[in-house]
Amino acid sequence: MTVPLVAHLTDFVDELRRRGIEVGPSGLIDAASAVAVLDLLDREQLREGLATTLLSDSAHRGVFDRVFDLWFPIALGKRTVTTDLPRTEDGEVDIDGVREMLAQLLADDSAEGDGRLGEAVAMIVDALGRYESTRGEAFSAYQALSAVSPQTLIAAIAAAMAGGPGDAGERPGTDPLHRAAARAKAADLRAAIESETQRRMADRNGRDRVGEYAVPPLPENINFLSAGAREQLEIRRTIAPLARLLAAKLEIRRRRAHRGAVDVRKTLRASMSTGGVPIELSHRKPRPGRPELTIICDVSGSVAGFSQFTLRLVYALRQQFSKVRVFAFVDTVDEVTDFFDPSSGAENDFGAAMHEMISTARISTRDGHSDYGHMLSGFVAEYGETLTHRGALLILGDARNNFHDTALGALRELVERARHAYWLNPEAQAHWGTGDSAADVYAEAIDMFECRNATQLGRVIADLLPI
């Protein structure tokens, strides 16, 4: 490889590391070796070769692809095209004609390979995504996507794939296979328009500035409270590997746990060699046990996603505990352990279990807004005796109490009853105590930790859960 290419590859790897993707020296060496034998004119071959050598987690592929597109763009400037978009008699872009053209191109597997689909995407971004900003010409993926609306093309793509009338007079493309393939094609079109818009904006503003907003965070770094539906799905995919890692860490900690109680008989026997003075204490062999865990989670709309993710993670770790009891609340607390019993199939459809729990459990009996004070008082009255010094208490919620009474005394009583007590808050610590947040008040009675993303949550659970 030439020196400029080596420097460019090194800078690319440094950018991946800055984004949180771990790449060791051996990974960089492997990537350089791969580049030396790959066809650099085949961009997709280069992409796959670098992904294979640099990525150790498939969940990071989305971030890798965005960074790759910035550092190895398909072209610079406006692409040269040999055709034009369908237009009306007035010379305006014919949106219906563009959508029909896209449906045909997406149904044709050869359109991507021969460049026709790429040309169409470039023309769409140039014609439908362009706008004039205060700094001159700019491009908007949202504007282009709003015009062509890929999700509403699924039926037309499926019909074009079917290529003829359906069986027994049915509409073409209604069978599940064509619909699934068309749905994937629509998603690919969306990604292609976003990528082309990103490339054009990188030409205008520079890749560093565009990368600040165009490259998404890693799934484990996505903020729980601001995650959309697609991001929530990405976050859930991190549960299994994170649970395996945490289970291994907890087991190692348990095996290396502190020594057992002092063995008086062995200590006195050993002291005979030092004139009856117990210079060294002898300890009984520790007997690591699995503790009990009690979880109280806020399932109101503002933090439901965070609570669901944490419950999924804890249930993936349930082998590490002798018993797991779950309580949920909006303004009233109720035990919901049975809704997440693995024997009921909750493990396979956790979302359905959450929906059933929210619909049927007695968790909202007042005004339907979070009331931590009423929850804490109710828990002490109804379930306080269930907490013992053998287990841990885990409270999940943002502590936004809607200006109700905090019932701090009830929380202190729960903390005294449990062996360990922790509060995991999905809000940034800088926001604790602002507005209707009572986090600063509750933090006086219980150890409260900021858990805004899966990385922070995993770190807290690994460090704090009892052994």
Side-chain angles (χ1 to χ4, degrees):
M1 288 193 300
T2 62
V3 174
L5 182 55
V6 172
H8 190 76
L9 178 61
T10 303
D11 291 342
F12 170 66
V13 171
D14 287 341
E15 179 66 12
L16 292 178
R17 290 167 175 163
R18 192 175 73 82
R19 298 286 176 180
I21 298 177
E22 296 183 2
V23 182
S26 61
L28 176 57
I29 294 172
D30 290 342
S33 300
V35 170
V37 297
L38 291 174
D39 180 3
L40 299 184
L41 296 179
D42 188 336
R43 187 164 173 269
E44 291 308 309
Q45 186 182 109
L46 177 63
R47 183 198 300 269
E48 296 303 323
L50 291 179
T52 301
T53 54
L54 297 176
L55 291 182
S56 58
D57 189 342
S58 61
H60 297 166
R61 181 59 190 262
V63 174
F64 172 88
D65 284 337
R66 289 295 182 94
V67 176
F68 179 89
D69 288 337
L70 286 172
W71 284 78
F72 299 92
I74 192 171
L76 297 176
K78 182 178 179 180
R79 291 181 60 176
T80 301
V81 296
T82 58
T83 58
D84 193 10
L85 294 177
R87 295 186 178 272
T88 64
E89 295 179 355
D90 299 333
E92 299 294 328
V93 177
D94 183 356
I95 301 298
D96 292 335
V98 171
R99 286 167 49 82
E100 184 178 348
M101 177 191 72
L102 284 174
Q104 295 298 325
L105 288 174
L106 291 169
D108 186 352
D109 292 334
S110 64
E112 184 175 0
D114 60 23
R116 286 179 292 151
L117 181 59
E119 283 191 0
V121 169
M123 290 187 292
I124 287 171
V125 170
D126 189 64
L128 301 178
R130 184 196 305 171
Y131 69 96
E132 289 297 324
S133 70
T134 55
R135 298 183 57 193
E137 184 181 69
F139 300 90
S140 166
Y142 174 79
Q143 185 173 303
L145 289 169
S146 297
V148 298
S149 187
Q151 286 303 112
T152 61
L153 286 175
I154 294 176
I157 298 170
M161 285 179 171
D167 296 335
E170 294 181 357
R171 289 188 305 165
T174 56
D175 62 284
L177 289 178
H178 284 131
R179 296 286 293 186
R183 196 173 294 111
K185 290 287 187 179
D188 291 343
L189 174 62
R190 172 180 290 274
I193 291 176
E194 290 175 347
S195 179
E196 177 65 14
T197 305
Q198 174 183 297
R199 184 187 70 81
R200 295 298 297 273
M201 290 301 295
D203 283 340
R204 176 182 181 268
N205 298 334
R207 65 177 172 229
D208 291 337
R209 183 168 182 178
V210 172
E212 292 176 0
Y213 63 84
V215 180
L218 296 176
E220 59 267 31
N221 293 334
I222 296 175
N223 193 320
F224 288 125
L225 298 185
S226 61
R230 185 165 51 177
E231 292 173 321
Q232 288 279 3
L233 180 60
E234 293 180 1
I235 293 174
R236 286 199 291 270
R237 289 172 181 161
T238 67
I239 293 177
L242 182 58
R244 288 193 295 267
L245 179 63
L246 291 178
K249 286 185 177 181
L250 289 173
E251 187 60 31
I252 291 173
R253 284 177 57 202
R254 189 170 288 125
R255 291 179 180 178
R256 296 178 179 177
H258 55 77
R259 292 171 296 183
V262 174
D263 190 323
V264 178
R265 179 175 296 180
K266 286 185 177 180
T267 300
L268 293 177
R269 190 175 298 163
S271 70
M272 300 301 294
S273 62
T274 55
V277 180
I279 302 298
E280 294 185 0
L281 298 178
S282 298
H283 295 81
R284 294 193 181 97
K285 185 177 180 180
R287 296 180 178 180
R290 295 187 301 166
E292 298 176 359
L293 180 63
T294 300
I295 306 173
I296 306 175
C297 57
D298 182 355
V299 293
S300 61
S302 59
V303 292
F306 164 69
S307 296
Q308 181 174 341
F309 179 86
T310 307
L311 284 176
R312 285 175 180 269
L313 182 60
V314 169
Y315 264 84
L317 293 169
R318 64 181 177 277
Q319 300 288 344
Q320 304 296 318
F321 306 98
S322 60
K323 180 189 295 185
V324 177
R325 297 186 69 179
V326 182
F327 298 83
F329 73 95
V330 173
D331 55 35
T332 304
V333 67
D334 190 18
E335 182 167 9
V336 295
T337 306
D338 292 342
F339 290 94
F340 304 100
D341 186 352
S343 62
S344 65
E347 187 174 7
N348 299 325
D349 197 347
F350 209 92
M354 284 287 295
H355 179 73
E356 183 183 2
M357 178 267 290
I358 292 173
S359 302
T360 60
R362 185 176 169 272
I363 56 177
S364 180
T365 62
R366 295 161 72 88
D367 60 2
H369 297 90
S370 296
D371 188 341
Y372 283 79
H374 185 252
M375 175 275 292
L376 291 168
S377 301
F379 190 90
V380 169
E382 296 186 42
Y383 308 106
E385 297 297 330
T386 63
L387 286 178
T388 68
H389 284 283
R390 291 192 63 251
L393 171 65
L394 200 62
I395 300 178
L396 313 176
D398 59 5
R400 292 209 167 267
N401 201 34
N402 293 292
F403 302 104
H404 295 297
D405 178 56
T406 59
L408 187 60
L411 178 60
R412 294 187 189 278
E413 183 175 342
L414 294 179
V415 172
E416 291 175 359
R417 288 176 179 270
R419 179 184 175 188
H420 304 280
Y422 310 114
W423 188 311
L424 307 187
N425 192 328
E427 277 197 337
Q429 190 168 353
H431 297 158
W432 295 0
T434 62
D436 62 348
S437 172
D440 56 337
V441 177
Y442 290 130
E444 297 175 1
I446 189 172
D447 291 331
M448 185 175 290
F449 299 89
E450 176 186 300
C451 292
R452 290 186 297 135
N453 53 53
T455 298
Q456 288 182 325
L457 179 62
R459 188 182 302 124
V460 168
I461 289 181
D463 292 343
L464 298 183
L465 284 187
I467 58 175

